[in-house]
Amino acid sequence: MSFNGNALVNPGEESSQALFAMYKSDFSNKLIGNLGFRYDRKKRQDNSNHNNFSPRIGVVYKHSNDFHLKLSYAESFVDPTYWNRQGNLPSFRGAVDLKPERLKSFQVTPSWQFFSSQLNYQLNFFYNQVDDFIFQNLHAMEGEPIFNNAGNLTTFGHEHEITFAQHNWTLK
């Protein structure tokens, strides 16, 4: 496919491999542990290599049937898509030198159950740090890439989830 005689995407090929492992264990009747990792290896069209090791660890404390507390830390690696790096559309010009985004996330999540576990309330507190996050520059000049790495971004906050389950249906 082409646009005004130009290929929509620069032709080429890349390779990627990923390995993921996780170990989960009940350390006691009140404590569950979860340990894992992901290893990513990518060879880009320009022969550059991007390798990343992303650890994950989690602990669940079951105080009672009605209250659990989860703590977790995880890292992740997201390489920009081929399209974001090799696109040629005027409205979607890629940047061949985009770096992968790297996320570090810490979460604390208490949850409560009520009415014989029919009602569940979960509150997730999170702190996230993204390095080399990718943004779309809608004001890029002609010939400039629209997608760029923008340094880092730190976010924190909380999320609420309420679930009501009865017989054959669930409401979230």
Side-chain angles (χ1 to χ4, degrees):
M1 292 189 94
S2 65
F3 176 79
N4 290 341
N6 296 320
L8 294 179
V9 177
N10 294 326
E13 64 181 60
E14 298 184 337
S15 66
S16 63
Q17 296 86 35
L19 174 67
F20 177 76
M22 183 180 77
Y23 175 73
K24 184 177 180 181
S25 178
D26 291 355
F27 295 115
S28 70
N29 62 345
K30 292 193 176 280
L31 198 59
I32 300 171
N34 182 339
L35 182 63
F37 73 89
R38 180 180 168 120
Y39 179 75
D40 290 276
R41 190 171 94 182
K42 182 156 189 175
K43 183 176 180 181
R44 287 189 177 176
Q45 178 185 353
D46 64 1
N47 288 323
S48 65
N49 293 313
H50 294 273
N51 302 313
N52 192 71
F53 179 81
S54 304
R56 298 145 195 259
I57 187 168
V59 176
V60 178
Y61 173 64
K62 300 185 291 185
H63 180 266
S64 67
N65 288 338
D66 297 332
F67 177 74
H68 296 170
L69 180 64
K70 300 175 193 173
L71 303 171
S72 67
Y73 175 79
E75 294 182 14
S76 62
F77 163 90
V78 179
D79 198 34
T81 66
Y82 190 84
W83 177 262
N84 286 71
R85 292 180 284 108
Q86 299 294 335
N88 285 326
L89 277 175
S91 61
F92 206 91
R93 289 182 306 275
V96 295
D97 59 350
L98 278 177
K99 298 178 202 169
E101 295 177 315
R102 298 174 192 278
L103 170 69
K104 295 177 183 176
S105 180
F106 180 71
Q107 298 183 21
V108 177
T109 310
S111 63
W112 296 266
Q113 294 183 348
F114 306 97
F115 308 115
S116 302
S117 299
Q118 290 181 327
L119 181 66
N120 184 34
Y121 174 64
Q122 184 168 282
L123 177 58
N124 181 44
F125 297 97
F126 62 89
Y127 174 86
N128 297 331
Q129 182 178 349
V130 182
D131 293 323
D132 295 320
F133 82 91
I134 296 170
F135 80 103
Q136 185 177 13
N137 180 2
L138 298 176
H139 301 290
M141 303 302 284
E142 188 173 333
E144 292 181 337
I146 292 176
F147 294 94
N148 296 286
N149 290 102
N152 56 25
L153 173 68
T154 300
T155 59
F156 57 92
H158 54 85
E159 304 165 317
H160 304 266
E161 180 180 306
I162 298 173
T163 305
F164 184 77
Q166 191 174 41
H167 304 296
N168 300 359
W169 60 274
T170 301
L171 176 65
K172 282 192 173 190

